[in-house]
Amino acid sequence: MHNSQLFVRTGISFADAQQALEHIGVAMLNAGVVHNSYPQALLVRESAYPTGIALEQHAVAIPHCEAEHARAPAIYLIRPDQAVPFAQADDDGTIDVALIIALIVTDPAAQLVLLRTLFGQLQHPEFITALLTAPEDQLGEIFAQRVFTSPSRPQQKTEYEGATL
């Protein structure tokens, strides 16, 4: 996502996916990257199409909603202190998610490219391990290097906001 803002948060806990999604909605509203409709749209989208994904060694969630709710492209990367139960994308059960990657997109075509690149990188266990163990101040840089400049994507300028939300 060209010129995406990247927000990073660690040191936070959520009782469940709904609480995590509510946090994302408020944080992205406060950051000014979404419209007022975003928090509700995110909850509705997640209830209809869950985003918990089991990987080889860990699980992630990639919550997102339609582009009409976004003002500017952004990614909110959250590494909670404890795993958060999310409904699985391909199953009726839940999965404990160690990493939440919220996507805020303004262009649906760019979203497909980003998801393809992100899924490609998530197939590498060392990438997930790096994201789960890196100090907070390095987390965004590690993510951006692998996702925004991966071989399947042209190198793009990324605005990094290491803000605590």
Side-chain angles (χ1 to χ4, degrees):
M1 292 172 54
H2 186 37
N3 292 327
S4 293
Q5 292 183 71
L6 181 56
F7 300 92
V8 173
R9 179 73 191 262
T10 63
I12 190 168
S13 295
F14 305 107
D16 55 27
Q18 173 143 349
Q19 190 180 44
L21 294 167
E22 289 170 353
H23 166 80
I24 293 165
V26 169
M28 294 298 93
L29 263 177
N30 289 341
V33 296
V34 298
H35 295 287
N36 289 336
S37 60
Y38 175 81
Q40 184 62 32
L42 188 64
L43 290 168
V44 169
R45 170 69 172 66
E46 186 72 25
S47 68
Y49 303 101
T51 61
I53 301 166
L55 301 172
E56 190 175 310
Q57 298 173 359
H58 301 283
V60 300
I62 307 175
H64 56 282
C65 62
E66 295 77 19
E68 67 194 54
H69 304 289
R71 291 182 186 272
I75 295 174
Y76 187 15
L77 187 60
I78 303 171
R79 188 176 63 202
D81 287 340
Q82 292 89 29
V84 181
F86 266 77
Q88 281 189 262
D90 58 356
D91 195 309
D92 287 335
T94 60
I95 191 162
D96 289 335
V97 166
L99 189 66
I100 302 167
I101 307 166
L103 307 180
I104 296 92
V105 297
T106 55
D107 175 8
Q111 178 176 350
L112 292 175
V113 172
L114 175 64
L115 282 169
R116 190 174 304 121
T117 302
L118 184 56
F119 281 124
Q121 292 301 319
L122 291 173
Q123 299 307 309
H124 301 283
E126 76 280 356
F127 176 56
I128 298 294
T129 299
L131 293 175
L132 293 176
T133 60
E136 182 176 11
D137 65 342
Q138 295 174 20
L139 188 57
E141 183 178 333
I142 291 167
F143 182 86
Q145 284 177 344
R146 290 288 293 266
V147 175
F148 295 136
T149 60
S150 74
S152 63
R153 292 174 57 94
Q155 188 163 351
Q156 298 177 350
K157 180 183 176 200
T158 303
E159 181 179 336
Y160 172 64
E161 291 279 336
T164 300
L165 300 174

